[in-house]
Amino acid sequence: MSWIDHWEPEKPEFWESTGKRIARKNLALSIFAENLGFSVWVLMSIVVVSLGSVGFDFSVGQQFWLLIVPNLVGAVLRVPYTFAVPRFGGRLWTTISAGLLLIPCTMLAYAVSTPGTPYWFFLLTSAAMGLGGGNFSSSMANISFFYPEGKKGLALGMNAAGGNLGVAITQLVVPFVITFGTGINLAYAALIWMPFVVVATALAWLFMDSLTQAKPDGQSYKLALSNQHTWVMSFLYIGTFGSFIGYSFAFPSLIKLSFVDYKGWVALAFLGALIGSVARPFGGWLADRVGGAKVTLGTFVGLAVGTIGVMVSVDSRNFALFFGSFIALFVLAGVGNGSTYRMIPAIFRTQSADDKSAKRQAAAVVGIAGAIGAAGGVLVNLVFKFSLEGSKTLTPALTAILVFYGLCLGTTWWFYLRRNVFAARPSLAYAGV
C-alpha cells in the first residue's frame, strides 16, 4: 500500500520539493470521488419527479420520504466516516467509499426497470444512496492532513465546492439522460454514474496516498464536545448547509407540486445547487475580509427575505418570483456555508493557549458540524412533507423555516456580535469572528 511515513508540509523546502505535488494529486482525486458521492446522494431528487411517468404512483408523503431517507443516512454516516481515514488510511477508504456507490446505482437500475417494485425497496434504495453523503466528511478529513495550515482553507474550500457541484451535475444531466430513446428510461439515471464510479475507485487505489501521521485524536473530540461553541456553530450550520442540501433535495419536487404548469422547469433546478456551490468559496473569502460572524448574520437576514419571497410567490402563483427567490436562497446558503466554516478556526483560536490543540479541536468541530448540518436537510424536507400533506400548501413550512432563520440570526448576534461579548472576550474580535 502507498503509505507515506515522512510528511512535513509546514516546512517550506519539503512542501515545494515534494509535498505540494502529492497533496494536489490527492486533492484532485478526492474531489472526483466526492463529487460522485454527492451526485449519487441526491439522485432520488430527480428520479422521484418521474416515478409516476413509469408506473409508480406514490403519494406526496411517500415521495418526500424517498428524499428524506438518503439525507438522514448521509448525515448519520458523516460521523463514522470522519474516523475512517485515520483507521484505514485515505487511499483505502477513498477506494472503499467510492466503490460502495455502485450499490445504490445497481439497486436503482433494478427498481425502476422492474414493474411492481414495492415501495419498501425504493426506500431501501434511497437509504443506500445515503452512502454518498458520508463521503464529504472522510474526504475533508483526509485532505486536511495533506496541506499546511496556511493553505488548508483554499484546499478544503475547493474540495467542499467540488463535492457540492455533484448536486448540480446530477440535476443538470439526469433529466436529459432519462429521455434518451423513446419515453422515460429511469434506469439510465443510475447506469450513467457506474462507469465513473469504477474509474474513481480505480484511480483512488492506484494513485492516492495514506499518511501514517493521520492518527485519530479522541482527546480533541472530547474537548470539542464539551465546548458550547461546538453546538452553537452546529446550530448555525443547520441553517446554512442544512438549507443548501435540504433545498437541493426538494427543489425539483417543489416546482412540480406547486406549479404544475411549469414542471418543465425541473430541468433548470440544477441552477440552484450550481450557484450555491460556487458561492461557498466566496463566502469564505468575504469572511476573511469583513469577519465571519458579520457575513453569517447578513446571510440569515438574506435567507429570511428570500423565504418571504417564496411565501409571496406561492400565494400569488408567481412562478418567476418563486424560482428567483429559491435561487437567492441557494446563493445565500452557499455564502453562509463558507462563512460559518471560516468562523470555526477563528473561534477556537480564542479557546486554548495551545495552538495545536485549538487546531485539532477546530478540525473536530468541522466534522461534528458537518454531520449535524446535513441533518438540517432532513428537517427541511420533513416540514415540506407535513405542510403539503396537511394544508396542501408550502406556507406553514415556509413560516417555520422563517422563524428558524430568525433564531439563527439572533444566535449569531448574541454569541459573536453583541458589544458585551467583545468586552468580555476581546480575543473574539481580534480573531476576526
Side-chain angles (χ1 to χ4, degrees), residues 118-153:
Y119 178 70
W120 66 262
F121 190 84
F122 275 98
L123 274 179
L124 194 60
T125 301
S126 290
M129 289 177 180
L131 291 168
N135 287 11
F136 174 85
S137 288
S138 57
S139 180
M140 294 289 276
N142 184 42
I143 293 304
S144 70
F145 288 114
F146 279 94
Y147 280 82
E149 290 299 328
K151 300 182 184 297
K152 278 185 182 181

mmCIF file of all heavy atoms in Angstrom, residues 118-153:
data_model
loop_
_atom_site.group_PDB
_atom_site.id
_atom_site.type_symbol
_atom_site.label_atom_id
_atom_site.label_comp_id
_atom_site.label_asym_id
_atom_site.label_seq_id
_atom_site.Cartn_x
_atom_site.Cartn_y
_atom_site.Cartn_z
ATOM 1 N N PRO A 118 -41.837 -3.016 -5.019
ATOM 2 C CA PRO A 118 -42.543 -2.474 -3.843
ATOM 3 C C PRO A 118 -41.904 -1.190 -3.325
ATOM 4 O O PRO A 118 -40.704 -0.951 -3.518
ATOM 5 C CB PRO A 118 -42.437 -3.604 -2.818
ATOM 6 C CG PRO A 118 -41.231 -4.390 -3.221
ATOM 7 C CD PRO A 118 -41.180 -4.305 -4.724
ATOM 8 N N TYR A 119 -42.721 -0.414 -2.644
ATOM 9 C CA TYR A 119 -42.243 0.866 -2.116
ATOM 10 C C TYR A 119 -41.097 0.663 -1.142
ATOM 11 O O TYR A 119 -40.154 1.479 -1.106
ATOM 12 C CB TYR A 119 -43.398 1.606 -1.430
ATOM 13 C CG TYR A 119 -42.995 2.923 -0.811
ATOM 14 C CD1 TYR A 119 -42.648 4.010 -1.610
ATOM 15 C CD2 TYR A 119 -42.961 3.082 0.570
ATOM 16 C CE1 TYR A 119 -42.273 5.220 -1.055
ATOM 17 C CE2 TYR A 119 -42.594 4.286 1.144
ATOM 18 C CZ TYR A 119 -42.248 5.354 0.333
ATOM 19 O OH TYR A 119 -41.874 6.553 0.894
ATOM 20 N N TRP A 120 -41.117 -0.407 -0.335
ATOM 21 C CA TRP A 120 -40.066 -0.616 0.650
ATOM 22 C C TRP A 120 -38.702 -0.765 -0.018
ATOM 23 O O TRP A 120 -37.679 -0.361 0.550
ATOM 24 C CB TRP A 120 -40.360 -1.823 1.544
ATOM 25 C CG TRP A 120 -40.359 -3.165 0.855
ATOM 26 C CD1 TRP A 120 -41.444 -3.861 0.414
ATOM 27 C CD2 TRP A 120 -39.213 -3.968 0.545
ATOM 28 N NE1 TRP A 120 -41.066 -5.046 -0.169
ATOM 29 C CE2 TRP A 120 -39.688 -5.139 -0.091
ATOM 30 C CE3 TRP A 120 -37.841 -3.822 0.721
ATOM 31 C CZ2 TRP A 120 -38.851 -6.155 -0.549
ATOM 32 C CZ3 TRP A 120 -36.986 -4.838 0.275
ATOM 33 C CH2 TRP A 120 -37.488 -5.983 -0.342
ATOM 34 N N PHE A 121 -38.687 -1.315 -1.244
ATOM 35 C CA PHE A 121 -37.396 -1.458 -1.934
ATOM 36 C C PHE A 121 -36.887 -0.098 -2.394
ATOM 37 O O PHE A 121 -35.677 0.152 -2.385
ATOM 38 C CB PHE A 121 -37.528 -2.405 -3.128
ATOM 39 C CG PHE A 121 -36.185 -2.779 -3.726
ATOM 40 C CD1 PHE A 121 -35.434 -3.808 -3.181
ATOM 41 C CD2 PHE A 121 -35.666 -2.093 -4.819
ATOM 42 C CE1 PHE A 121 -34.188 -4.144 -3.712
ATOM 43 C CE2 PHE A 121 -34.438 -2.416 -5.360
ATOM 44 C CZ PHE A 121 -33.688 -3.451 -4.804
ATOM 45 N N PHE A 122 -37.805 0.779 -2.788
ATOM 46 C CA PHE A 122 -37.389 2.139 -3.132
ATOM 47 C C PHE A 122 -36.831 2.851 -1.905
ATOM 48 O O PHE A 122 -35.837 3.591 -1.996
ATOM 49 C CB PHE A 122 -38.564 2.928 -3.713
ATOM 50 C CG PHE A 122 -38.776 2.721 -5.184
ATOM 51 C CD1 PHE A 122 -39.727 1.817 -5.637
ATOM 52 C CD2 PHE A 122 -38.018 3.408 -6.117
ATOM 53 C CE1 PHE A 122 -39.922 1.610 -6.999
ATOM 54 C CE2 PHE A 122 -38.205 3.211 -7.485
ATOM 55 C CZ PHE A 122 -39.161 2.305 -7.923
ATOM 56 N N LEU A 123 -37.443 2.631 -0.745
ATOM 57 C CA LEU A 123 -36.912 3.222 0.486
ATOM 58 C C LEU A 123 -35.523 2.692 0.797
ATOM 59 O O LEU A 123 -34.629 3.451 1.197
ATOM 60 C CB LEU A 123 -37.850 2.915 1.660
ATOM 61 C CG LEU A 123 -39.029 3.850 1.898
ATOM 62 C CD1 LEU A 123 -39.850 3.344 3.085
ATOM 63 C CD2 LEU A 123 -38.570 5.280 2.140
ATOM 64 N N LEU A 124 -35.324 1.393 0.597
ATOM 65 C CA LEU A 124 -34.012 0.784 0.830
ATOM 66 C C LEU A 124 -32.986 1.351 -0.145
ATOM 67 O O LEU A 124 -31.833 1.600 0.214
ATOM 68 C CB LEU A 124 -34.120 -0.732 0.679
ATOM 69 C CG LEU A 124 -32.946 -1.568 1.200
ATOM 70 C CD1 LEU A 124 -32.743 -1.351 2.690
ATOM 71 C CD2 LEU A 124 -33.169 -3.048 0.889
ATOM 72 N N THR A 125 -33.415 1.570 -1.378
ATOM 73 C CA THR A 125 -32.528 2.168 -2.382
ATOM 74 C C THR A 125 -32.145 3.587 -1.982
ATOM 75 O O THR A 125 -30.979 3.981 -2.101
ATOM 76 C CB THR A 125 -33.215 2.180 -3.760
ATOM 77 O OG1 THR A 125 -33.557 0.840 -4.133
ATOM 78 C CG2 THR A 125 -32.306 2.786 -4.821
ATOM 79 N N SER A 126 -33.116 4.347 -1.492
ATOM 80 C CA SER A 126 -32.839 5.705 -1.030
ATOM 81 C C SER A 126 -31.843 5.688 0.125
ATOM 82 O O SER A 126 -30.941 6.529 0.198
ATOM 83 C CB SER A 126 -34.139 6.390 -0.581
ATOM 84 O OG SER A 126 -34.964 6.670 -1.677
ATOM 85 N N ALA A 127 -32.015 4.733 1.042
ATOM 86 C CA ALA A 127 -31.082 4.619 2.169
ATOM 87 C C ALA A 127 -29.671 4.332 1.672
ATOM 88 O O ALA A 127 -28.692 4.903 2.175
ATOM 89 C CB ALA A 127 -31.547 3.519 3.114
ATOM 90 N N ALA A 128 -29.548 3.463 0.669
ATOM 91 C CA ALA A 128 -28.226 3.145 0.114
ATOM 92 C C ALA A 128 -27.591 4.366 -0.536
ATOM 93 O O ALA A 128 -26.361 4.530 -0.513
ATOM 94 C CB ALA A 128 -28.347 2.005 -0.897
ATOM 95 N N MET A 129 -28.408 5.253 -1.107
ATOM 96 C CA MET A 129 -27.873 6.483 -1.697
ATOM 97 C C MET A 129 -27.217 7.358 -0.639
ATOM 98 O O MET A 129 -26.332 8.161 -0.949
ATOM 99 C CB MET A 129 -29.000 7.265 -2.396
ATOM 100 C CG MET A 129 -29.497 6.618 -3.659
ATOM 101 S SD MET A 129 -30.887 7.525 -4.388
ATOM 102 C CE MET A 129 -31.206 6.503 -5.840
ATOM 103 N N GLY A 130 -27.635 7.199 0.613
ATOM 104 C CA GLY A 130 -27.019 7.951 1.698
ATOM 105 C C GLY A 130 -25.534 7.674 1.860
ATOM 106 O O GLY A 130 -24.818 8.472 2.479
ATOM 107 N N LEU A 131 -25.047 6.554 1.314
ATOM 108 C CA LEU A 131 -23.608 6.265 1.352
ATOM 109 C C LEU A 131 -22.809 7.413 0.741
ATOM 110 O O LEU A 131 -21.712 7.729 1.194
ATOM 111 C CB LEU A 131 -23.309 4.961 0.593
ATOM 112 C CG LEU A 131 -23.814 3.668 1.240
ATOM 113 C CD1 LEU A 131 -23.722 2.512 0.241
ATOM 114 C CD2 LEU A 131 -23.005 3.355 2.494
ATOM 115 N N GLY A 132 -23.384 8.027 -0.293
ATOM 116 C CA GLY A 132 -22.686 9.142 -0.928
ATOM 117 C C GLY A 132 -22.579 10.360 -0.044
ATOM 118 O O GLY A 132 -21.647 11.157 -0.171
ATOM 119 N N GLY A 133 -23.513 10.526 0.885
ATOM 120 C CA GLY A 133 -23.495 11.686 1.773
ATOM 121 C C GLY A 133 -22.382 11.643 2.789
ATOM 122 O O GLY A 133 -21.902 12.682 3.252
ATOM 123 N N GLY A 134 -21.961 10.441 3.172
ATOM 124 C CA GLY A 134 -20.885 10.318 4.147
ATOM 125 C C GLY A 134 -19.522 10.679 3.587
ATOM 126 O O GLY A 134 -18.599 11.018 4.345
ATOM 127 N N ASN A 135 -19.384 10.604 2.264
ATOM 128 C CA ASN A 135 -18.079 10.831 1.636
ATOM 129 C C ASN A 135 -17.486 12.193 1.935
ATOM 130 O O ASN A 135 -16.263 12.369 1.943
ATOM 131 C CB ASN A 135 -18.190 10.653 0.116
ATOM 132 C CG ASN A 135 -18.330 9.196 -0.285
ATOM 133 O OD1 ASN A 135 -18.546 8.334 0.578
ATOM 134 N ND2 ASN A 135 -18.245 8.914 -1.562
ATOM 135 N N PHE A 136 -18.354 13.194 2.174
ATOM 136 C CA PHE A 136 -17.867 14.549 2.418
ATOM 137 C C PHE A 136 -16.937 14.583 3.627
ATOM 138 O O PHE A 136 -15.842 15.147 3.567
ATOM 139 C CB PHE A 136 -19.048 15.496 2.638
ATOM 140 C CG PHE A 136 -18.658 16.893 3.031
ATOM 141 C CD1 PHE A 136 -18.329 17.826 2.064
ATOM 142 C CD2 PHE A 136 -18.617 17.281 4.364
ATOM 143 C CE1 PHE A 136 -17.964 19.120 2.420
ATOM 144 C CE2 PHE A 136 -18.264 18.561 4.731
ATOM 145 C CZ PHE A 136 -17.934 19.488 3.754
ATOM 146 N N SER A 137 -17.355 13.979 4.732
ATOM 147 C CA SER A 137 -16.570 14.058 5.965
ATOM 148 C C SER A 137 -15.234 13.349 5.838
ATOM 149 O O SER A 137 -14.206 13.873 6.273
ATOM 150 C CB SER A 137 -17.366 13.455 7.135
ATOM 151 O OG SER A 137 -18.420 14.303 7.495
ATOM 152 N N SER A 138 -15.223 12.165 5.259
ATOM 153 C CA SER A 138 -13.952 11.452 5.129
ATOM 154 C C SER A 138 -13.032 12.156 4.147
ATOM 155 O O SER A 138 -11.811 12.221 4.348
ATOM 156 C CB SER A 138 -14.190 10.006 4.685
ATOM 157 O OG SER A 138 -14.897 9.939 3.469
ATOM 158 N N SER A 139 -13.595 12.723 3.101
ATOM 159 C CA SER A 139 -12.785 13.440 2.121
ATOM 160 C C SER A 139 -12.155 14.686 2.723
ATOM 161 O O SER A 139 -10.957 14.949 2.541
ATOM 162 C CB SER A 139 -13.660 13.828 0.915
ATOM 163 O OG SER A 139 -12.914 14.519 -0.059
ATOM 164 N N MET A 140 -12.944 15.450 3.476
ATOM 165 C CA MET A 140 -12.420 16.665 4.105
ATOM 166 C C MET A 140 -11.364 16.321 5.156
ATOM 167 O O MET A 140 -10.318 16.981 5.256
ATOM 168 C CB MET A 140 -13.562 17.451 4.742
ATOM 169 C CG MET A 140 -14.561 18.024 3.766
ATOM 170 S SD MET A 140 -13.936 19.400 2.778
ATOM 171 C CE MET A 140 -14.204 20.761 3.909
ATOM 172 N N ALA A 141 -11.622 15.269 5.936
ATOM 173 C CA ALA A 141 -10.652 14.862 6.945
ATOM 174 C C ALA A 141 -9.343 14.430 6.304
ATOM 175 O O ALA A 141 -8.250 14.781 6.773
ATOM 176 C CB ALA A 141 -11.231 13.720 7.783
ATOM 177 N N ASN A 142 -9.439 13.692 5.231
ATOM 178 C CA ASN A 142 -8.239 13.198 4.553
ATOM 179 C C ASN A 142 -7.399 14.339 3.995
ATOM 180 O O ASN A 142 -6.185 14.411 4.228
ATOM 181 C CB ASN A 142 -8.654 12.243 3.431
ATOM 182 C CG ASN A 142 -7.462 11.607 2.749
ATOM 183 O OD1 ASN A 142 -6.498 11.209 3.400
ATOM 184 N ND2 ASN A 142 -7.515 11.510 1.432
ATOM 185 N N ILE A 143 -8.023 15.242 3.274
ATOM 186 C CA ILE A 143 -7.275 16.324 2.634
ATOM 187 C C ILE A 143 -6.680 17.277 3.666
ATOM 188 O O ILE A 143 -5.602 17.854 3.451
ATOM 189 C CB ILE A 143 -8.190 17.091 1.647
ATOM 190 C CG1 ILE A 143 -8.568 16.181 0.479
ATOM 191 C CG2 ILE A 143 -7.518 18.351 1.128
ATOM 192 C CD1 ILE A 143 -7.375 15.588 -0.272
ATOM 193 N N SER A 144 -7.325 17.435 4.811
ATOM 194 C CA SER A 144 -6.803 18.351 5.835
ATOM 195 C C SER A 144 -5.419 17.934 6.317
ATOM 196 O O SER A 144 -4.621 18.773 6.736
ATOM 197 C CB SER A 144 -7.765 18.429 7.019
ATOM 198 O OG SER A 144 -7.775 17.225 7.762
ATOM 199 N N PHE A 145 -5.107 16.638 6.265
ATOM 200 C CA PHE A 145 -3.806 16.164 6.722
ATOM 201 C C PHE A 145 -2.685 16.479 5.724
ATOM 202 O O PHE A 145 -1.523 16.537 6.092
ATOM 203 C CB PHE A 145 -3.839 14.645 6.955
ATOM 204 C CG PHE A 145 -4.629 14.232 8.161
ATOM 205 C CD1 PHE A 145 -5.795 13.489 8.022
ATOM 206 C CD2 PHE A 145 -4.221 14.584 9.440
ATOM 207 C CE1 PHE A 145 -6.525 13.102 9.131
ATOM 208 C CE2 PHE A 145 -4.947 14.201 10.555
ATOM 209 C CZ PHE A 145 -6.102 13.459 10.395
ATOM 210 N N PHE A 146 -3.036 16.679 4.454
ATOM 211 C CA PHE A 146 -2.019 16.849 3.421
ATOM 212 C C PHE A 146 -1.477 18.269 3.327
ATOM 213 O O PHE A 146 -0.346 18.468 2.880
ATOM 214 C CB PHE A 146 -2.590 16.439 2.051
ATOM 215 C CG PHE A 146 -2.587 14.960 1.806
ATOM 216 C CD1 PHE A 146 -3.704 14.188 2.098
ATOM 217 C CD2 PHE A 146 -1.464 14.323 1.290
ATOM 218 C CE1 PHE A 146 -3.709 12.825 1.887
ATOM 219 C CE2 PHE A 146 -1.452 12.953 1.058
ATOM 220 C CZ PHE A 146 -2.585 12.199 1.364
ATOM 221 N N TYR A 147 -2.277 19.261 3.732
ATOM 222 C CA TYR A 147 -1.905 20.655 3.475
ATOM 223 C C TYR A 147 -1.406 21.369 4.725
ATOM 224 O O TYR A 147 -1.875 21.092 5.838
ATOM 225 C CB TYR A 147 -3.101 21.416 2.899
ATOM 226 C CG TYR A 147 -3.289 21.165 1.426
ATOM 227 C CD1 TYR A 147 -3.943 20.022 0.972
ATOM 228 C CD2 TYR A 147 -2.773 22.051 0.482
ATOM 229 C CE1 TYR A 147 -4.097 19.776 -0.387
ATOM 230 C CE2 TYR A 147 -2.919 21.822 -0.881
ATOM 231 C CZ TYR A 147 -3.585 20.685 -1.302
ATOM 232 O OH TYR A 147 -3.717 20.450 -2.643
ATOM 233 N N PRO A 148 -0.469 22.302 4.553
ATOM 234 C CA PRO A 148 -0.036 23.133 5.689
ATOM 235 C C PRO A 148 -1.166 24.056 6.118
ATOM 236 O O PRO A 148 -2.094 24.326 5.333
ATOM 237 C CB PRO A 148 1.146 23.928 5.121
ATOM 238 C CG PRO A 148 0.913 23.966 3.643
ATOM 239 C CD PRO A 148 0.263 22.660 3.303
ATOM 240 N N GLU A 149 -1.094 24.554 7.334
ATOM 241 C CA GLU A 149 -2.181 25.364 7.878
ATOM 242 C C GLU A 149 -2.523 26.554 6.992
ATOM 243 O O GLU A 149 -3.681 26.894 6.803
ATOM 244 C CB GLU A 149 -1.810 25.854 9.289
ATOM 245 C CG GLU A 149 -1.776 24.760 10.334
ATOM 246 C CD GLU A 149 -3.114 24.076 10.520
ATOM 247 O OE1 GLU A 149 -4.147 24.756 10.354
ATOM 248 O OE2 GLU A 149 -3.137 22.866 10.805
ATOM 249 N N GLY A 150 -1.500 27.196 6.437
ATOM 250 C CA GLY A 150 -1.735 28.393 5.633
ATOM 251 C C GLY A 150 -2.402 28.127 4.304
ATOM 252 O O GLY A 150 -2.856 29.053 3.631
ATOM 253 N N LYS A 151 -2.476 26.858 3.888
ATOM 254 C CA LYS A 151 -3.062 26.520 2.592
ATOM 255 C C LYS A 151 -4.286 25.613 2.717
ATOM 256 O O LYS A 151 -4.887 25.244 1.721
ATOM 257 C CB LYS A 151 -2.011 25.845 1.704
ATOM 258 C CG LYS A 151 -0.801 26.722 1.422
ATOM 259 C CD LYS A 151 0.192 26.044 0.496
ATOM 260 C CE LYS A 151 1.435 26.892 0.305
ATOM 261 N NZ LYS A 151 1.155 28.180 -0.357
ATOM 262 N N LYS A 152 -4.649 25.260 3.935
ATOM 263 C CA LYS A 152 -5.789 24.367 4.129
ATOM 264 C C LYS A 152 -7.102 25.004 3.711
ATOM 265 O O LYS A 152 -7.982 24.330 3.166
ATOM 266 C CB LYS A 152 -5.887 23.947 5.603
ATOM 267 C CG LYS A 152 -4.973 22.798 5.976
ATOM 268 C CD LYS A 152 -5.218 22.363 7.411
ATOM 269 C CE LYS A 152 -4.255 21.245 7.792
ATOM 270 N NZ LYS A 152 -4.480 20.785 9.176
ATOM 271 N N GLY A 153 -7.260 26.299 3.977
ATOM 272 C CA GLY A 153 -8.523 26.954 3.681
ATOM 273 C C GLY A 153 -8.920 26.816 2.226
ATOM 274 O O GLY A 153 -10.033 26.399 1.908
#
